[in-house]
Amino acid sequence: MKIDLVIDGQRCAPSDNQYEPLIGPVTPDQLAEVAVATHEDVQRAVSAAQAAFDRDRITAKQRSDIMLRTAQLLLDHADELADLIVMEVGKTLRESRGEVKTASDAFFSMAGEALRIRGVTLDGDATTATKDFNISVIREAAGPVCAMTAYNAPLNQVCYKVGMAFAAGCPVVIKPSPFTPMVSSRAIDLLVEAGMPSGWINFVTGGAEVGQALFENPHFARYAFTGSRTVGDILVRSVGLRRSLLELGSNAPNIVHKGADLGLAARALTSAGFAIAGQVCMRPQRILVHEDAYDGFVVELLKCVEAVKVGDPRDPETDMGPVRTEASAARIVDWVKQAEHSGARILAGGTHEGCYVAPTVVAGVRTDDLVSCEEIFGPVLVLSTYRHLDDAIAEANASKYGLQSAIFTTDLHIAREATRRLRSGGVVINNASRMRTALVPFGGAKDSGLGREGGLWGVEEFTEVKVVYDYFGP
């Protein structure tokens, strides 16, 4: 398979004809040859997006119809897309099929939001200066968008970012993770098949140099990026005052309070904690357990963890596949061993074989250990105890991240108190922190990012507010 660029509606080779091999985590076989875009290719893609924005008037109804057709095409090609995700990410077949469904849902949702972009009309007689005016506050498309995705949900992230931008009326240049260009490329094909006009979707591939060329291009009105805090910093320094939508990860705290349903908590935290081999930004990482519930919870949790079937993600019976690279697997286990050397106890796992990391549970971790204070992005749950809710909330909030959090409790007042005080973009009650839908805003506080994806809130990130003063005479 050869993956080419898409510029101004046409597949094309990179200008210097350079390609790189793509190797996945499941087999040692080469999956594809992937184009490496040059600065010239990036400029052509951005110029095509700018020309489309300047030239075309695509109505909200037309944008909505294209996204509805794309949503259906994703479902029509679900098996093909799921297989691509399995091979280049290492997600299980079940997880990959689920991603195709949520990606389709994103376009269905954004198709509706394209028809609901809000404006406001005000009566000017509220002030003396405007008493003879009608005042309208409207939202307009901001302009070309640069979208950059991570490898853990390659189809979903393409559909969210393109869906929001296109719903707002913005053309897109998209760069996928170098680890996952295949399913992203196929999604672009389906968008074109659905009727996306030339120039409105452009696709460039490559590594950090391509990313930097996109950051430095002055013609983007918005950036939408999912990835590491380090690259997010580079982006912000590069793009200056232009607005960016950033999702930069987390180490989500999940509180298990006394009196909670411990079986429910253990099942939910196991399912979410080891989803995609732990490569999920909002997955539970730090599990804070009330000291009265700790012993019972650990028993329930270890039973659930022991039942997780790790293996070939192509097997429908597999619960957890590999992490994306062997280097990631080694880094994850190294962090766990560092915590052990600092006095932590490994209750389960703590090993890897190739790209496969055993489901791991660590207890007694210091707050400055990497497995606690950083995002491990792997199948590791970190346990600690607390005596009072204040202590749990203080520990949860001590992180530099604040994407998503959760609490398990049967006490409504405790749930409300935690919801009010936890500093995160979302709070989940009686389920794990891995929770998201295209209908609502998703994003974080503190170092977890800027802006919100999803729903009308996400679409509005790609618009500019304009005020129109309409004089109708004294």
Side-chain angles (χ1 to χ4, degrees):
M1 177 187 294
K2 180 173 281 190
I3 297 176
D4 281 320
L5 312 176
V6 177
I7 298 177
D8 203 16
Q10 299 296 319
R11 284 281 176 184
C12 58
S15 57
D16 63 358
N17 207 38
Q18 182 182 349
Y19 291 81
E20 289 186 343
L22 176 68
I23 306 296
V26 181
T27 74
D29 301 327
Q30 180 174 309
L31 299 177
E33 289 184 307
V34 184
V36 179
T38 65
H39 278 63
E40 178 187 340
D41 297 324
V42 168
Q43 183 57 54
R44 288 195 298 123
V46 180
S47 296
Q50 183 68 61
F53 183 71
D54 294 339
R55 175 189 68 235
D56 298 336
R57 171 74 176 104
I58 304 178
T59 67
K61 177 65 164 57
Q62 290 170 324
R63 301 197 302 272
S64 179
D65 287 346
I66 289 169
M67 287 191 284
L68 287 174
R69 288 194 292 269
T70 304
Q72 186 56 53
L73 284 169
L74 290 169
L75 297 179
D76 293 344
H77 293 267
D79 289 343
E80 173 197 358
L81 295 167
D83 287 345
L84 290 174
I85 295 170
V86 170
M87 294 307 296
E88 65 178 353
V89 181
K91 279 188 176 183
T92 66
L93 190 58
R94 182 172 60 251
E95 290 170 333
S96 299
R97 288 170 175 165
E99 180 171 345
V100 176
K101 181 63 170 65
T102 56
S104 176
D105 287 347
F107 271 124
F108 275 120
S109 177
M110 292 304 110
E113 300 301 352
L115 306 177
R116 292 192 290 268
I117 297 176
R118 299 175 293 192
V120 178
T121 300
L122 304 173
D123 194 330
D125 66 6
T127 69
T128 303
T130 58
K131 65 183 181 64
D132 294 326
F133 290 81
N134 280 329
I135 303 172
S136 299
V137 182
I138 62 176
R139 286 189 175 270
E140 295 182 333
V145 171
C146 173
M148 304 178 71
T149 63
Y151 68 80
N152 59 329
L155 181 62
N156 215 18
Q157 290 184 24
V158 166
C159 294
Y160 264 89
K161 289 175 170 54
V162 173
M164 291 183 297
F166 190 56
C170 300
V172 181
V173 177
I174 192 155
K175 178 195 174 298
S177 163
F179 290 127
T180 53
M182 293 195 304
V183 75
S184 306
S185 177
R186 192 69 185 99
I188 303 306
D189 290 338
L190 297 180
L191 278 160
V192 173
E193 184 179 339
M196 185 71 81
S198 295
W200 281 81
I201 186 73
N202 303 274
F203 179 74
V204 296
T205 48
E209 289 187 4
V210 177
Q212 190 62 45
L214 290 165
F215 293 165
E216 293 173 354
N217 193 289
H219 298 294
F220 286 116
R222 295 286 188 275
Y223 287 83
F225 171 80
T226 298
S228 71
R229 175 70 165 78
T230 300
V231 179
D233 279 342
I234 295 171
L235 187 157
V236 170
R237 289 197 300 270
S238 300
V239 307
L241 294 177
R242 287 176 291 168
R243 282 166 53 186
S244 302
L245 179 61
L246 307 178
E247 197 276 279
L248 304 177
S250 190
N251 53 7
N254 285 239
I255 299 170
V256 182
H257 200 57
K258 62 181 178 180
D261 184 329
L262 301 184
L264 169 67
R267 291 190 298 274
L269 293 169
T270 300
S271 175
F274 302 119
I276 321 175
Q279 299 166 116
V280 185
C281 55
M282 55 188 162
R283 64 172 284 272
Q285 179 171 322
R286 296 178 293 145
I287 315 302
L288 316 177
V289 188
H290 193 278
E291 60 184 20
D292 292 347
Y294 182 79
D295 290 341
F297 173 73
V298 169
V299 170
E300 294 291 335
L301 179 66
L302 293 181
K303 283 194 297 186
C304 293
V305 172
E306 197 173 304
V308 175
K309 182 178 178 181
V310 180
D312 189 330
R314 296 168 294 185
D315 182 346
E317 299 301 315
T318 296
D319 297 314
M320 192 183 92
V323 297
R324 183 55 182 79
T325 68
E326 190 167 350
S328 292
R331 191 262 312 158
I332 291 162
V333 171
D334 180 61
W335 284 16
V336 171
K337 296 301 183 184
Q338 287 182 43
E340 184 181 33
H341 292 155
S342 298
R345 304 181 310 281
I346 300 176
L347 306 184
T351 61
H352 81 98
E353 184 175 341
C355 294
Y356 290 84
V357 179
T360 299
V361 180
V362 189
V365 173
R366 300 187 333 188
T367 56
D368 61 348
D369 281 327
L370 290 173
V371 293
S372 179
C373 65
E374 294 293 341
E375 180 179 34
I376 195 165
F377 218 61
V380 180
L381 299 178
V382 178
L383 304 184
S384 62
T385 61
Y386 67 92
R387 178 170 295 179
H388 303 293
L389 182 65
D390 286 348
D391 301 328
I393 291 175
E395 185 174 343
N397 288 341
S399 172
K400 63 185 176 182
Y401 296 112
L403 183 59
Q404 204 109 310
S405 57
I407 183 166
F408 292 84
T409 179
T410 55
D411 188 320
L412 178 60
H413 298 291
I414 293 293
R416 286 177 172 170
E417 178 75 2
T419 299
R420 182 179 65 83
R421 295 174 59 191
L422 286 167
R423 294 187 59 204
S424 57
V427 179
V428 183
I429 299 170
N430 286 326
N431 211 318
S433 55
R434 188 195 178 208
M435 188 69 61
R436 183 178 184 182
T437 170
L439 299 172
V440 300
F442 173 76
K446 299 183 280 187
D447 284 9
S448 284
L450 301 171
R452 293 295 184 268
E453 290 188 350
L456 190 58
W457 300 267
V459 175
E460 288 181 345
E461 296 279 358
F462 298 91
T463 65
E464 295 284 4
V465 174
K466 178 182 286 185
V467 181
V468 179
Y469 298 90
D470 181 9
Y471 179 70
F472 55 88

